[in-house]
Amino acid sequence: MDRRSLIKNAGIAGVLAAGVAPAVHAQAAVRWRLVSSFPKSLDTVYGACEVFAKKVSDMSGGKFVISTHAAGELMPAFGVVDGVQNGTVEMAHTAPYYFFGKDETFALACAIPFGLNSRQMTAWMYGGNGLKLMHEFYAKYNIISFPAGNSGCQMGGWYRKEIKSVADIKGLKMRIGGFGGKVLARIGGVPQNIPAGEIYQSLEKGTIDAAEWIGPYDDQKLGLNKVAPFYYYPAWWEGSTQFDNLVNIKAYQALSPENKAIIESASAFAHVEMQAKYDAVNPGALKQLVGSGTKVLPFPKDVMDVAFKEAMALYGELNASNPNWKKVYEDYSAFRREENLWFRFTEARFDNFMQAQKL
Amino acid sequence: MDRRSLIKNAGIAGVLAAGVAPAVHAQAAVRWRLVSSFPKSLDTVYGACEVFAKKVSDMSGGKFVISTHAAGELMPAFGVVDGVQNGTVEMAHTAPYYFFGKDETFALACAIPFGLNSRQMTAWMYGGNGLKLMHEFYAKYNIISFPAGNSGCQMGGWYRKEIKSVADIKGLKMRIGGFGGKVLARIGGVPQNIPAGEIYQSLEKGTIDAAEWIGPYDDQKLGLNKVAPFYYYPAWWEGSTQFDNLVNIKAYQALSPENKAIIESASAFAHVEMQAKYDAVNPGALKQLVGSGTKVLPFPKDVMDVAFKEAMALYGELNASNPNWKKVYEDYSAFRREENLWFRFTEARFDNFMQAQKL
């Protein structure tokens, strides 16, 4: 029996029991598509969009359902901002610094060399002006954003040869993510833009001399330790890397107030969960890497110093050339100054003491 | 016209339009009471329960409403666990270490001397076994818990006289929160349990020699800088302090799956927001304190070393005397060892470099 016949033939009780409820449910259901910039194999960064989507479904009682799509499934990893901007999909989960070619301001919502650490970044977003300023900026792309993950401070990557001073960066062909390449180039390196899946081969063949991805857990998954022995820290270009949920503003505005609030809190849950997962899985992976022969070394001080100087010079140039950048960076850099003033007291003293103990 | 007459006289359309919808709404509404252990004047720690309750209401479209009550309004600050356990209220927002007199294991969900820092604590909760183990423990009190805030590493408090070595702790009468007093007593101090509102007077009158509360922003609100000149760091007894939403398990189990999920994500939102707020407001408060004459000093190394040794001895004794503690602490301490191994590489190197720069 088809639906029309059912309604025609059933009494009012029958309609209420069999007809009305499903109709209301179908009417209330919102179905969205989320595109990730990451492959499913990375349960950390890709996992965050699954955690987020599950919370949205759970909190809405299945009335708001978001399907998640890995990089390349609906659009390429670096096409997701265009996809959200033009409404092809309702939302994306990505590292906004990939889009610094459109406007360098994207990087300020994600990671810039010598930027905020993970806690400071979240503080700027939720306790400072970060979210407000980025919403103003993202509006130019029909986007509203919600922080949805952080990797913490990343590792400085894998090198075929030892880096003894900044002179060893000269001519170094290195896969580096996002905005950091701009500073690497200024200190003599040759940044290469290579997707996750091709890094191993490029390093193995010697097409590149070095490559950074994220940290011990993810890097081990990509097998980078098998093709380069030296593992440096810290990634001065990613003192923390924030991942964002980027939502098409019209799709967002069409949501009920409940669903708007659900998007916000589900993002916050994913934000907490991703950083927690990284912090939980990285220590074990680092131990395994060291156990299998990886040499873990700090960058020489002169590399850090020269890179810092060049980063600050770059930001000065951007302040002069890009008014969008200037508006956000002025607030970001003032916040960074205050945070580092504060963190050097009780946080640093406690952490440094604990790290020096035999626990 | 009363409701009965309305239904009797209206046709089916009238019932659907005027009668059924409100009835369903009234049936669906859940009203809960949350008791906080904090006064309304502290917008940081008390504010978190308001942020949480607003998110619950927003996400449920006003169908799940939680009223928030400051310490003393429905029950005393330290009566909230009893209140939740016996179902007088559905939930509490508190610092669980206040209840270490019932069982020292409560402190492991909050802060112990030389414990996990803020990020590590969240990682243990969400990425490690923390939440699972604490849920097993809390079940003995008819409670299920959700992390809902962290203060970060607290300051070591206000002292009328300078602390030059551990000898100056001998006989020192100090207001200290929670579990830290047990270690303070072992290094010669005399811990005092005094509620927030009475600390200022006690220190002014000289009833106590020293007092710690939280950090620059909250401590300034209590006026502690006006009655003691020396401000020490870090609070080695609170490398981070987690606040929990404690929910009566029967009340929780009676919720719909949607509302259960809403409780979890709204707590996560409050968790993110409280730490962000502390990190955003503490730097400015510290500057004001220094500007008005406060002397900010690190604890002498021997104070830290002796306290660390005594804390570890205490934990050894608790492992022998309290099986609940032993079960959770074994996991907690293994996680702490791994986290500090990892954090001393890329996180510490990046933070220490940034804190040394002129920004």
Side-chain angles (χ1 to χ4, degrees), chain A residues 53-297:
Chain A
K54 181 172 189 319
K55 292 294 162 200
V56 170
S57 174
D58 288 353
M59 289 195 279
S60 68
K63 292 199 289 288
F64 186 4
V65 175
I66 301 177
S67 61
T68 60
H69 305 272
E73 200 179 309
L74 297 183
M75 57 189 69
F78 300 153
V80 302
V81 163
D82 291 341
V84 174
Q85 186 178 0
N86 62 31
T88 308
V89 291
E90 288 82 7
M91 68 180 295
H93 184 251
T94 190
Y97 65 6
Y98 290 142
F99 307 95
F100 77 88
K102 291 177 185 289
D103 189 315
E104 291 90 352
T105 314
F106 274 98
L108 289 166
C110 179
I112 62 168
F114 304 100
L116 298 164
N117 73 17
S118 176
R119 241 178 76 181
Q120 295 166 351
M121 185 70 179
T122 299
W124 183 56
M125 286 283 148
Y126 286 103
N129 299 318
L131 211 46
K132 181 178 154 283
L133 288 167
M134 287 312 302
H135 282 182
E136 281 175 32
F137 168 74
Y138 279 134
K140 302 178 208 290
Y141 296 84
N142 306 327
I143 283 171
I144 182 167
S145 67
F146 302 91
N150 200 307
S151 64
C153 187
Q154 300 197 0
M155 288 290 284
W158 300 85
Y159 298 75
R160 292 161 64 94
K161 290 185 186 158
E162 210 173 330
I163 302 295
K164 289 179 181 159
S165 81
V166 71
D168 294 324
I169 304 288
K170 279 263 149 65
L172 188 88
K173 276 195 262 180
M174 177 169 174
R175 188 274 166 196
I176 185 166
F179 193 57
K182 277 183 109 82
V183 176
L184 183 71
R186 291 171 78 114
I187 67 169
V190 186
Q192 310 279 311
N193 208 356
I194 299 172
E198 298 167 33
I199 300 174
Y200 175 89
Q201 273 195 320
S202 307
L203 198 53
E204 190 192 25
K205 281 185 195 158
T207 316
I208 53 174
D209 309 305
E212 65 89 38
W213 175 241
I214 291 183
Y217 181 78
D218 291 329
D219 292 2
Q220 192 183 30
K221 280 208 165 186
L222 297 187
L224 303 184
N225 56 310
K226 291 177 191 151
V227 284
F230 301 105
Y231 197 23
Y232 279 88
Y233 65 92
W236 43 260
W237 54 93
E238 300 187 64
S240 80
T241 304
Q242 181 176 291
F243 299 83
D244 266 4
N245 274 332
L246 302 181
V247 179
N248 178 279
I249 194 91
K250 277 187 193 157
Y252 177 76
Q253 281 164 350
L255 292 176
S256 67
E258 294 91 307
N259 283 342
K260 283 181 184 165
I262 283 173
I263 287 274
E264 185 186 39
S265 282
S267 297
F269 187 88
H271 190 64
V272 168
E273 208 275 346
M274 192 207 282
Q275 181 66 84
K277 180 162 192 179
Y278 268 117
D279 288 341
V281 296
N282 273 327
L286 182 69
K287 276 171 132 178
Q288 284 178 14
L289 290 170
V290 171
S292 65
T294 290
K295 288 176 190 69
V296 180
L297 296 165

Side-chain angles (χ1 to χ4, degrees), chain B residues 96-167:
Chain B
Y97 65 7
Y98 289 142
F99 307 95
F100 77 88
K102 290 178 186 290
D103 188 315
E104 291 90 352
T105 314
F106 275 97
L108 290 166
C110 179
I112 63 168
F114 303 100
L116 297 165
N117 74 17
S118 177
R119 241 178 76 181
Q120 294 165 353
M121 185 68 179
T122 299
W124 182 56
M125 286 282 147
Y126 286 103
N129 299 319
L131 210 46
K132 181 179 155 282
L133 288 167
M134 288 312 302
H135 282 182
E136 281 175 31
F137 169 74
Y138 279 135
K140 303 178 208 291
Y141 295 84
N142 306 328
I143 283 172
I144 182 168
S145 68
F146 301 91
N150 199 308
S151 64
C153 186
Q154 301 198 358
M155 289 289 285
W158 300 85
Y159 299 75
R160 293 160 65 94
K161 291 186 185 157
E162 209 173 330
I163 303 295
K164 288 178 184 160
S165 80
V166 71

Side-chain angles (χ1 to χ4, degrees), chain B residues 26-279:
Chain B
Q27 205 172 22
V30 178
R31 293 182 185 279
W32 274 19
R33 295 190 298 176
L34 177 156
V35 286
S36 167
S37 290
F38 309 102
K40 279 195 177 148
S41 57
L42 295 172
D43 57 319
T44 41
V45 275
Y46 185 79
C49 78
E50 295 182 311
V51 166
F52 162 76
K54 183 174 186 320
K55 291 295 161 202
V56 170
S57 174
D58 288 352
M59 289 195 278
S60 68
K63 292 199 289 287
F64 186 5
V65 176
I66 300 177
S67 61
T68 61
H69 305 272
E73 200 180 309
L74 297 183
M75 57 189 68
F78 300 153
V80 302
V81 163
D82 291 340
V84 175
Q85 185 178 1
N86 63 31
T88 308
V89 291
E90 288 81 8
M91 67 180 294
H93 184 251
T94 191
Y97 65 7
Y98 289 142
F99 307 95
F100 77 88
K102 290 178 186 290
D103 188 315
E104 291 90 352
T105 314
F106 275 97
L108 290 166
C110 179
I112 63 168
F114 303 100
L116 297 165
N117 74 17
S118 177
R119 241 178 76 181
Q120 294 165 353
M121 185 68 179
T122 299
W124 182 56
M125 286 282 147
Y126 286 103
N129 299 319
L131 210 46
K132 181 179 155 282
L133 288 167
M134 288 312 302
H135 282 182
E136 281 175 31
F137 169 74
Y138 279 135
K140 303 178 208 291
Y141 295 84
N142 306 328
I143 283 172
I144 182 168
S145 68
F146 301 91
N150 199 308
S151 64
C153 186
Q154 301 198 358
M155 289 289 285
W158 300 85
Y159 299 75
R160 293 160 65 94
K161 291 186 185 157
E162 209 173 330
I163 303 295
K164 288 178 184 160
S165 80
V166 71
D168 293 323
I169 303 288
K170 280 264 148 65
L172 188 88
K173 276 196 263 179
M174 177 169 175
R175 188 275 167 197
I176 186 167
F179 192 59
K182 277 183 109 85
V183 176
L184 183 71
R186 290 172 80 113
I187 68 169
V190 185
Q192 309 279 310
N193 207 357
I194 299 171
E198 298 167 33
I199 300 174
Y200 175 91
Q201 274 196 319
S202 307
L203 199 54
E204 191 193 25
K205 281 186 195 158
T207 315
I208 52 175
D209 309 305
E212 65 88 38
W213 176 242
I214 290 183
Y217 180 79
D218 291 329
D219 292 3
Q220 192 182 31
K221 280 208 166 186
L222 297 187
L224 303 185
N225 56 311
K226 292 176 190 152
V227 284
F230 301 105
Y231 197 22
Y232 279 89
Y233 66 90
W236 42 260
W237 53 93
E238 300 186 64
S240 79
T241 305
Q242 180 175 293
F243 300 83
D244 266 5
N245 275 332
L246 303 180
V247 179
N248 178 280
I249 194 90
K250 277 188 193 155
Y252 177 76
Q253 281 164 351
L255 292 176
S256 66
E258 294 92 307
N259 283 343
K260 282 180 186 165
I262 283 174
I263 288 275
E264 185 187 39
S265 281
S267 297
F269 188 88
H271 190 63
V272 168
E273 208 275 346
M274 192 207 282
Q275 181 66 84
K277 179 161 194 181
Y278 268 117
D279 288 340

Side-chain angles (χ1 to χ4, degrees), chain A residues 55 61 114 117 119 153-154 234 264 272 279 287 337-339 344 346-347 351 354-355 359, chain B residues 55 114 117 119 153-154 234 258 264 275 279 287 337-339 344 346-347 351 354-355 359:
Chain A
K55 292 294 162 200
F114 304 100
N117 73 17
R119 241 178 76 181
C153 187
Q154 300 197 0
E264 185 186 39
V272 168
D279 288 341
K287 276 171 132 178
R337 186 169 54 243
E338 297 293 292
E339 290 302 289
R344 76 166 62 108
T346 200
E347 292 289 347
D351 283 348
M354 290 303 288
Q355 287 162 18
L359 290 163
Chain B
K55 291 295 161 202
F114 303 100
N117 74 17
R119 241 178 76 181
C153 186
Q154 301 198 358
E258 294 92 307
E264 185 187 39
Q275 181 66 84
D279 288 340
K287 276 170 132 178
R337 185 170 54 241
E338 296 293 292
E339 290 302 288
R344 75 165 63 108
T346 200
E347 292 289 346
D351 283 348
M354 290 303 289
Q355 288 163 18
L359 289 164

